[in-house]
Amino acid sequence: MAERVLVIGSGGREHALAWKLAQSSHIKHVFVAPGNAGTADNGKIFNSAVLVSNHTIVTQFCKDHNIGLVLVGPEALLAAGIADDLRAAGLCCFGPCARAARVASHSSSSRAFLQRHGLPTARWRAFSSPQEACRFITSTDFPARVVRAQRPAARTEVTIAASKEEACRAVQEIMQDRMFGDMVVIEELLQGEELSCSCFTDGVTVVSMPPAQPHKRLQDGDRGPTTAGMGSYCPVPQVPEALLEQIRDILQHIVDSLRQEGAAYVGVLQASLMLTKEGVKILNFKCQFGDPQCQVILPLLENDFYEVIQAAIDGKLCSCMPVWSENRSAVCVVMASPGYPGDSDKGMEVTGILQAQELGLQVFHGGTALKDGRVVTTGGRVLSITAVRQDLMEAVREANRGVATIHFQGATFRRDIGLRGLQLLQQPLYVSTGPEPSPDVPSCRSEGGGFAAFFDLKASGYDDPILVSQTKGLGPKLQVAQICKRHDTIGQDLVALCVNDLLAQGAEPLFFLSHLTCGKLDAEVLETIKEGIAEACRSAGCAFLGEEVTEVAAPCPPGHCDLAGFVVGAMERGQRLPGLQRAQDGDALLGLGCPGIPGPAFGIVRRILLTSSLHCSSPAPGSCGHSTLGDVLLTPGRMFSPALLPVLRSGHVKGFAPTAQGLLGGISRVLPEHVNAVLDALSWKIPEIFCWLYKEGNLSAEEMAQTFPCGIGAVLVVQKELAQHVLQDIQRQQEAWLIGKVVSPCHTVGSHIEVENLSEALQMSSPQQLNDSTAQSQPQPRKRKAKVAVLVSGAGELSLVLAQRMPLYILESLVQVIDHKLYGSRSEFDSTIDRVLEEFSVELICLSGFMRVLSGPFLQKWKGFISNPKGDDYANMGVPSGHQSPE
């Protein structure tokens, strides 16, 4: 008998679940609640408007429509006990019980669980006091820089801080607003390769799925804010069998431990694992498929998905083992709304989906809806484009090809999804068990103490390559790091210096080596520098072959160090960037933002520090005490490879040069002698530290431009007509501005390069834009928008108008009607209201003609976030002092 199935959720994961279930001959209909544009009347798949936050209504819907199986996507609903309620009503549900789901979905609970059962994870502690949390962060002997806050609807917000000061700021911001939870978890920042490993389980048997690798940062090169996931690929290549066995043991250990605690786990379990130098450690685990991991795992499943689920529910998973496609790879690229992961725009039409599907791609919908027959965005992650091909390289290429055919205004996506997997084809995953620095490729030590290594260039996929090399040293910046006793940013600085110069030739980095000379070896400092270099190499997409250390005898000072790097890259013959003769009168100059001060400029920085009243430990100018001067001075340079490489190879860029030798020095590298350049310093944002150096050092504007980059990390020359197009491409990845133009010599007086308004810009605390056309090209700060629920009662029912914008005119809303007659008590009724508010991540409640009395627990939970315009008993619960009002 053909079954009817209900899938609960509205994201790309739920679309993928419904899509795979619909392929089963056992399935007649798949209902998705609430669903999206992709699950609306799509073959066997239909949307349903059932209120999923009300378990009673969902249960009745299932009975009325003869639903034989329910799959729950959102973890919040599983943690709220929807699977328990459905099973209690005699319905079949694939998903863990509330107790097991809560362990997985709450940071402190999951960490305590892992600790109880001896499972390897990061060191951590939970705090209810921001002062105690900050004391822990500053006093630990390990990098306690991961801050997890439990948000409403069982969502966890994660901040990965670059410094202890930033971690403390994150704690203060989170805990000043108790709506976001009374507990914050501080964790050790683990370094290594991250894998996403999932399994089916019937509570006893565990069957692993192929490992996937998610890309969680918003921008190429793993930069920008952390998101729920911007893409994934599966399987991860070159995973040793011993490591796969270790992963299976970890998943089995989790399931067995849950069963021992009385929380038998039936469903899908996903663990995020970090391959560190100490071995495999668990970052977190979830009680459902990840999104977008689900979109690359399920397309590789060859079994009937429904049969596998049913075997797990019946406790017979060992008799229905999943079979996975061999010699096939899946790559998924997520397209998100502009502004994501913050407040994002909505209502924009999406085109090109059919064309992508005609390429043989699967387009899974997330934040979409149908409006007058058109697909429009509803914010967040909009689409997941998945390609399944014979090899990973082809899958990467086809997924990106699909993304290029789909369009909506401001679409945000990454271009490097799966590239790490291509690197792993030549550099297999390796979990270090000793003190050696991440040996990503076969290597050996020479007899003389030097470092030797081998790199297979042919295996890297080049047809007719040209090798390019660079070597750089940090110089005085390392000495300032010694004074500040901070070495965690030095590695990134060194790699960025070398790799950015390779990029100027159009080459991508292959491998990196370093050489450290010091007066007396400090093992802890050495290890910190190595870790920084290894992490920077991972971001750059190149192999770190190793580091040679030379200890110099006296009279070298004990704390003195010198650090140099050497990088080798490659490009296909004919891909070298154009020479200087391409720039001509009228071309535009684009600047890429970078807050760091490069190493070559630290000769003058040290001179200024010697005469300044401030010290490295003094509060940084303009930081309000959150950072020291040393922290700001040691901000690392920005690495532009590999995210910028596709832009440089597009044919639209005439020249590119980093500005490590100063703003004027960088620009002179891309200008032929027969033309000049004019820049306007008011057209870009100059970081406060450069303004301080200008004033404290009593420097002239010309000296600043010659010595410092002044907030511009690299310069591009682009044809005027293409400038806005190239600028928008770059701004998807990072800050960039139109900063000037190429002119004929008659337009400038004296200097080959003229920087207008630099003195004014360096004296201003907030740089202004010069004209409207320039201002339009700059990214403007977005006002924070709050999700508001308006409670209106009438005719025995309660209507919740869930709005995205204020004031009271509702531009975008969704009305939910809750009938109090379905509930046996006031507290049960209020509990349902609360579930709906959490489901939609509501932040403020407005009472409008609301006639019912709210229960004490509800009022206590939402105290400070209820507003009554008529000033009744709830009027004293308006927005509290200091809370940011919504737009």
Side-chain angles (χ1 to χ4, degrees):
M1 176 180 175
E3 292 275 17
R4 293 172 174 237
V5 177
L6 172 64
V7 175
I8 295 178
S10 61
R13 169 181 57 195
E14 286 73 36
H15 187 182
L17 291 170
W19 167 80
K20 194 64 178 178
L21 283 166
Q23 296 173 13
S24 172
S25 59
H26 301 286
I27 302 297
K28 181 179 181 181
H29 294 304
V30 180
F31 295 97
V32 186
N36 51 49
T39 55
D41 297 329
N42 184 358
K44 293 182 181 180
I45 306 172
F46 305 90
N47 283 344
S48 170
V50 62
L51 183 62
V52 297
S53 60
N54 188 315
H55 301 180
T56 304
I57 293 176
V58 173
T59 300
Q60 192 59 49
F61 173 87
C62 292
K63 291 179 177 179
D64 293 344
H65 292 81
N66 296 318
I67 299 297
L69 174 65
V70 181
L71 270 72
V72 182
E75 285 187 288
L77 291 175
L78 290 167
I82 190 170
D84 305 70
D85 292 343
L86 290 169
R87 292 187 187 111
L91 296 168
C92 188
C93 181
F94 183 62
C97 62
R99 183 173 176 183
R102 289 189 191 113
V103 170
S105 61
H106 289 76
S107 299
S108 56
S109 297
S110 63
R111 288 295 172 273
F113 170 84
L114 294 172
Q115 195 171 48
R116 281 197 306 274
H117 295 280
L119 286 154
T121 187
R123 289 171 282 186
W124 68 283
R125 276 188 63 186
F127 297 93
S128 57
S129 162
Q131 292 79 17
E132 291 180 7
C134 288
R135 278 196 294 271
F136 176 75
I137 290 170
T138 55
S139 64
T140 57
D141 58 354
F142 59 87
R145 298 207 300 264
V146 180
V147 182
R148 293 183 186 270
Q150 198 64 45
R151 299 288 179 171
R155 296 194 317 276
T156 299
E157 179 169 300
V158 181
T159 299
I160 300 176
S163 65
K164 292 183 176 182
E165 291 76 14
E166 185 180 337
C168 288
R169 284 200 300 274
V171 169
Q172 295 290 348
E173 291 170 1
I174 289 166
M175 300 197 75
Q176 71 181 359
D177 193 340
R178 294 294 175 167
M179 176 186 179
F180 294 152
D182 295 327
M183 190 76 68
V184 65
V185 174
I186 310 298
E187 296 176 15
E188 174 187 12
L189 178 62
L190 298 177
Q191 302 286 349
E193 198 80 37
E194 182 178 348
L195 296 183
S196 181
C197 303
S198 304
C199 68
F200 293 109
T201 178
D202 57 9
V204 177
T205 301
V206 167
V207 180
S208 298
M209 304 180 197
Q213 187 166 57
H215 295 63
K216 295 181 180 178
R217 296 282 188 163
L218 181 68
Q219 300 167 355
D220 284 355
D222 286 330
R223 297 196 306 272
T226 303
T227 71
M230 293 301 294
S232 186
Y233 69 93
C234 181
V236 177
Q238 301 278 65
V239 180
E241 183 58 38
L243 179 56
L244 290 174
E245 188 63 35
Q246 190 176 358
I247 291 169
R248 283 193 288 268
D249 290 344
I250 288 174
L251 295 171
Q252 185 72 59
H253 193 166
I254 294 174
V255 171
D256 291 345
S257 299
L258 285 167
R259 188 175 66 254
Q260 291 167 14
E261 293 194 355
Y265 194 105
V266 177
V268 170
L269 177 71
Q270 176 190 285
S272 294
L273 307 177
M274 184 70 79
L275 311 185
T276 75
K277 61 183 181 182
E278 292 88 16
V280 180
K281 294 192 177 183
I282 303 172
L283 292 174
N284 57 63
F285 59 100
K286 297 181 179 295
C287 55
Q288 180 53 286
F289 278 107
D291 183 344
Q293 294 93 317
C294 182
Q295 290 92 299
V296 291
I297 293 174
L298 284 183
L300 300 178
L301 178 64
E302 294 190 349
N303 299 59
D304 187 306
F305 187 32
Y306 174 80
E307 291 179 359
V308 175
I309 291 173
Q310 202 61 53
I313 293 173
D314 295 340
K316 300 177 180 178
L317 189 57
C318 59
S319 65
C320 184
M321 301 293 281
V323 177
W324 305 97
S325 298
E326 295 184 2
N327 302 318
R328 305 278 282 178
S329 292
V331 174
C332 171
V333 180
V334 171
M335 302 181 73
S337 294
Y340 176 79
D343 296 324
S344 49
D345 296 334
K346 302 179 180 180
M348 294 171 288
E349 184 176 3
V350 183
T351 61
I353 294 176
L354 289 178
Q355 289 89 329
Q357 291 171 335
E358 288 171 357
L359 296 174
L361 306 174
Q362 186 61 43
V363 180
F364 296 113
H365 290 241
T368 65
L370 290 175
K371 182 177 181 181
D372 301 327
R374 299 176 296 117
V375 176
V376 298
T377 65
T378 59
R381 293 181 295 170
V382 178
L383 298 170
S384 302
I385 293 83
T386 298
V388 181
R389 295 294 186 267
Q390 290 293 333
D391 60 70
L392 181 58
M393 183 174 291
E394 184 184 0
V396 168
R397 183 170 56 248
E398 289 303 302
N400 285 307
R401 184 182 173 197
V403 169
T405 67
I406 298 175
H407 304 281
F408 58 89
Q409 185 178 347
T412 300
F413 53 89
R414 288 180 58 162
R415 296 173 174 82
D416 63 348
I417 305 298
L419 296 188
R420 179 58 185 150
L422 295 177
Q423 295 164 10
L424 292 175
L425 287 171
Q426 285 81 47
Q427 306 164 30
L429 283 172
Y430 180 88
V431 183
S432 176
T433 57
E436 288 296 319
S438 60
D440 291 323
V441 296
S443 59
C444 66
R445 292 280 181 181
S446 67
E447 292 181 2
F451 187 87
F454 304 94
F455 191 95
D456 190 345
L457 184 61
K458 184 176 180 181
S460 298
Y462 287 95
D463 294 324
D464 187 15
I466 296 176
L467 294 181
V468 184
S469 63
Q470 273 290 343
T471 183
K472 296 282 184 181
L474 278 183
K477 188 165 188 176
L478 182 57
Q479 297 170 25
V480 173
Q482 289 285 88
I483 295 170
C484 297
K485 297 187 183 334
R486 181 177 175 185
H487 302 84
D488 56 324
T489 63
I490 292 302
Q492 180 176 334
D493 253 320
L494 182 65
V495 177
L497 273 174
C498 296
V499 166
N500 288 343
D501 261 7
L502 274 191
L503 194 63
Q505 307 298 325
E508 58 182 330
L510 297 178
F511 59 86
F512 186 92
L513 304 100
S514 64
H515 184 217
L516 176 68
T517 305
C518 56
K520 184 177 181 180
L521 180 63
D522 185 319
E524 185 176 350
V525 169
L526 176 61
E527 187 62 27
T528 300
I529 294 175
K530 285 181 179 178
E531 288 177 358
I533 294 175
E535 181 60 33
C537 286
R538 277 190 287 269
S539 299
C542 65
F544 177 36
L545 299 188
E547 180 175 59
E548 177 65 16
V549 180
T550 303
E551 190 170 344
V552 182
C556 183
H560 178 78
C561 285
D562 197 7
L563 183 64
F566 178 77
V567 66
V568 173
M571 59 184 172
E572 294 288 0
R573 195 178 302 274
Q575 283 189 336
R576 184 173 181 179
L577 290 185
L580 292 177
Q581 302 307 312
R582 289 286 303 276
Q584 59 187 12
D585 186 10
D587 285 343
L589 295 175
L590 306 184
L592 308 185
C594 177
I597 304 172
F602 266 75
I604 288 185
V605 171
R606 288 189 68 202
R607 191 193 76 192
I608 294 172
L609 285 174
L610 290 174
T611 59
S612 173
S613 60
L614 297 183
H615 305 287
C616 287
S617 58
S618 303
S623 71
C624 301
H626 294 309
S627 302
T628 67
L629 178 60
D631 291 336
V632 177
L633 289 173
L634 293 174
T635 299
R638 183 161 289 162
M639 191 155 42
F640 301 114
S641 177
L644 199 61
L645 203 57
V647 176
L648 297 182
R649 289 179 175 174
S650 65
H652 299 158
V653 176
K654 293 185 174 184
F656 167 84
T659 57
Q661 302 299 325
L663 184 60
L664 299 185
I667 296 173
S668 65
R669 291 177 59 179
V670 293
L671 284 184
E673 293 183 359
H674 66 276
V675 293
N676 291 358
V678 176
L679 281 69
D680 183 359
L682 295 177
S683 64
W684 75 86
K685 178 182 177 182
I686 298 181
E688 182 69 28
I689 189 61
F690 294 103
C691 303
W692 179 81
L693 290 168
Y694 170 68
K695 296 172 186 175
E696 194 75 7
N698 194 26
L699 302 176
S700 67
E702 183 178 0
E703 287 175 313
M704 288 295 297
Q706 287 176 342
T707 308
F708 298 102
C710 300
I712 298 296
V715 178
L716 291 85
V717 180
V718 183
Q719 185 179 335
K720 179 182 178 181
E721 291 75 16
L722 299 173
Q724 286 299 324
H725 172 75
V726 175
L727 184 63
Q728 289 172 4
D729 275 351
I730 297 172
Q731 285 175 341
R732 293 193 185 102
Q733 316 295 329
Q734 64 162 83
E735 280 190 310
W737 304 273
L738 177 63
I739 63 171
K741 59 184 177 180
V742 179
V743 298
S744 60
C746 61
H747 286 86
T748 60
V749 180
S751 175
H752 184 49
I753 303 167
E754 184 176 347
V755 185
E756 298 176 345
N757 303 310
L758 183 56
S759 295
E760 292 86 340
L762 289 166
Q763 293 174 31
M764 295 169 59
S765 58
S766 301
Q768 299 175 352
Q769 305 304 327
L770 190 63
N771 53 56
D772 291 342
S773 62
T774 302
Q776 289 174 1
S777 70
Q778 315 305 320
Q780 300 295 323
R782 298 171 60 89
K783 293 182 179 179
R784 194 181 78 86
K785 298 175 183 177
K787 289 193 175 182
V788 181
V790 182
L791 274 60
V792 184
S793 57
E797 298 174 341
L798 166 69
S799 295
L800 281 80
V801 182
L802 304 162
Q804 295 290 345
R805 302 170 186 254
M806 290 288 279
L808 289 179
Y809 53 87
I810 306 299
L811 300 182
E812 304 174 43
S813 63
L814 176 65
V815 177
Q816 296 281 344
V817 178
I818 303 174
D819 188 349
H820 78 279
K821 295 191 292 293
L822 294 173
Y823 304 92
S825 66
R826 188 176 69 183
S827 61
E828 185 182 352
F829 178 64
D830 286 358
S831 177
T832 301
I833 299 174
D834 181 59
R835 284 181 182 173
V836 176
L837 295 174
E838 287 200 349
E839 179 183 347
F840 289 93
S841 304
V842 166
E843 298 174 68
L844 297 176
I845 300 172
C846 181
L847 307 180
S848 178
F850 184 71
M851 307 303 294
R852 295 185 59 82
V853 178
L854 292 169
S855 63
F858 183 91
L859 292 176
Q860 182 63 33
K861 176 173 181 178
W862 291 94
K863 184 177 181 180
F865 301 95
I866 302 178
S867 175
N868 185 2
K870 294 191 175 182
D872 295 334
D873 293 340
Y874 306 115
N876 62 340
M877 298 183 186
V879 179
S881 175
H883 187 77
Q884 183 182 1
S885 298
E887 180 184 19

